[in-house]
Amino acid sequence: MKFVKNFNNNAALVSDKAGVDWVVIGNGIGFGKKVGDPIDENKISRRFVAVEKNIKMIDSVRDIDQRTLTLTTEVINLASQKLQITFSDYEFLVLADHIDFMLTRATGNIELGQDTLSWEMKKIFPKEYGTAQEALRLMKEKTKLDFPQSEAAYLTYHFINAGSGQTKLQDTIKITKLIKGVIDIIQYQYGMQLDTESFNFNRFMTHLRAFMVRHMCGESDQDSGSELDHSLIELMKVKYKKAYDTVQKIGTYLYKQAGWQLQPDDQVYLTLHVWRVTHRQKDAQSQKN
């Protein structure tokens, strides 16, 4: 590989024998290099195809050091193994930028209070949040710095984002807030706290996340449900009246907050999920009593 351009001492633009441009990261990878100089490939810790998005991101994280890059790689390896997710090149750079800022905050004893956010993350995305806590413990061990637990919520966002494919980080944050709003509506309508550890709750969360990701990605079909047997909707109204009425309130909330309209099939599936997550929990409580 031949040197083309220096971003900083630890990141450079290079070209391979086939003429493909790459962004490479490694300790001192571009230090003292001139155009056309060979690159020591043993120093490369991460490489990205030099698309515009990656180059812009590299340009914005010029001061990132090798410690941060190494730590980011270890956190990603942990998350990839625990959650079976893959981080794109861009997501690696975004997480590296975030971890670099985490190190700055920890060194300066700066804590961003997010107790409510942490609660939402823990309840709505338990696997991702649990992995984020493991990542914090790993970072504490490697750096000997003390990271507050509130940092786990921010790492959780990055893990969710990597596992969501097409969604962006800001969309993931929006989805989290919308899901919290939906849960609040159900709990208020039924006068109960949902069991966030239950199988039915987790199935409901999976359905909600998939539904919202579709809308975020513009994949919601306006004609969705047009061939749905309307007698099925009528059955929902009668057999699961309270759940159906709750879904109508959820639909109003989602329209006001995000401009989304529930299609007939959305209403059917949400009604069944709301009924299941509330009805079976009540049955379980009755059996205990």
Side-chain angles (χ1 to χ4, degrees):
M1 288 185 165
K2 302 293 185 180
F3 178 82
V4 176
K5 175 185 176 182
N6 209 18
F7 292 104
N8 56 50
N9 288 340
N10 300 315
L13 180 66
V14 302
S15 181
D16 64 17
K17 292 180 180 179
V20 177
D21 288 339
W22 296 82
V23 175
V24 294
I25 291 176
N27 193 23
I29 194 74
F31 181 73
K33 296 293 183 182
K34 297 179 181 178
V35 177
D37 284 350
I39 290 290
D40 183 356
E41 297 190 30
N42 291 324
K43 288 186 175 182
I44 297 175
S45 60
R46 186 94 181 187
R47 66 184 70 193
F48 316 112
V49 176
V51 295
E52 183 179 1
K53 182 169 64 172
N54 289 343
I55 291 177
K56 284 183 176 179
M57 190 62 202
I58 280 285
D59 202 43
S60 70
V61 293
R62 286 181 177 275
D63 298 326
I64 207 162
D65 61 25
Q66 187 60 34
R67 178 180 70 159
T68 298
L69 296 173
T70 301
L71 201 56
T72 302
T73 299
E74 293 185 8
V75 168
I76 283 179
N77 289 342
L78 172 67
S80 298
Q81 180 181 10
K82 293 286 184 179
L83 302 172
Q84 302 298 303
I85 57 178
T86 301
F87 287 76
S88 68
D89 294 343
Y90 183 72
E91 287 163 350
F92 174 93
L93 294 171
V94 172
L95 181 58
D97 183 49
H98 178 83
I99 288 177
D100 192 58
F101 193 31
M102 283 180 65
L103 294 173
T104 300
R105 289 198 296 270
T107 302
N109 294 316
I110 302 170
E111 179 176 358
L112 302 179
Q114 289 287 348
D115 292 340
T116 302
L117 183 61
S118 295
W119 183 92
E120 292 175 7
M121 292 290 98
K122 184 177 180 180
K123 297 300 182 182
I124 299 174
F125 305 107
K127 290 182 180 179
E128 290 86 349
Y129 186 80
T131 302
Q133 289 182 307
E134 285 191 50
L136 273 187
R137 289 193 289 270
L138 170 67
M139 292 175 65
K140 287 180 180 179
E141 178 183 337
K142 296 291 183 180
T143 65
K144 309 304 178 186
L145 292 172
D146 188 23
F147 298 95
Q149 279 300 309
S150 58
E151 295 286 8
Y154 294 103
L155 285 176
T156 301
Y157 276 134
H158 288 276
F159 297 164
I160 296 167
N161 194 53
S164 297
Q166 301 178 60
T167 53
K168 299 177 182 178
L169 189 60
Q170 59 266 34
D171 291 339
T172 301
I173 295 172
K174 183 177 181 180
I175 286 173
T176 303
K177 292 180 179 178
L178 290 174
I179 289 178
K180 175 63 165 54
V182 169
I183 294 172
D184 287 344
I185 290 171
I186 296 171
Q187 292 184 150
Y188 177 79
Q189 291 299 118
Y190 280 83
M192 65 190 298
Q193 291 291 317
L194 295 179
D195 180 6
T196 57
E197 305 297 327
S198 71
F199 174 73
N200 289 308
F201 182 86
N202 286 312
R203 282 194 64 189
F204 184 37
M205 291 302 99
T206 299
H207 178 83
L208 270 182
R209 287 170 64 178
F211 162 78
M212 291 183 181
V213 166
R214 288 200 311 272
H215 278 271
M216 287 289 188
C217 296
E219 297 176 3
S220 177
D221 186 357
Q222 292 300 316
D223 295 324
S224 178
S226 59
E227 298 181 1
L228 189 71
D229 187 346
H230 287 284
S231 64
L232 190 56
I233 288 287
E234 296 304 316
L235 176 63
M236 296 293 107
K237 292 180 181 179
V238 175
K239 187 171 183 179
Y240 308 110
K241 184 178 185 308
K242 188 168 185 177
Y244 179 82
D245 290 343
T246 300
V247 167
Q248 301 313 298
K249 289 180 169 57
I250 291 171
T252 300
Y253 166 75
L254 292 176
Y255 182 75
K256 287 181 177 179
Q257 296 296 319
W260 301 340
Q261 281 192 321
L262 293 182
Q263 300 302 316
D265 56 344
D266 293 328
Q267 295 181 43
V268 168
Y269 284 114
L270 282 174
T271 297
L272 290 172
H273 276 292
V274 170
W275 178 83
R276 182 182 290 116
V277 79
T278 55
H279 181 75
R280 292 187 177 177
Q281 182 169 316
K282 284 185 175 180
D283 285 349
Q285 290 174 344
S286 297
Q287 292 175 5
K288 288 181 179 179
N289 296 332

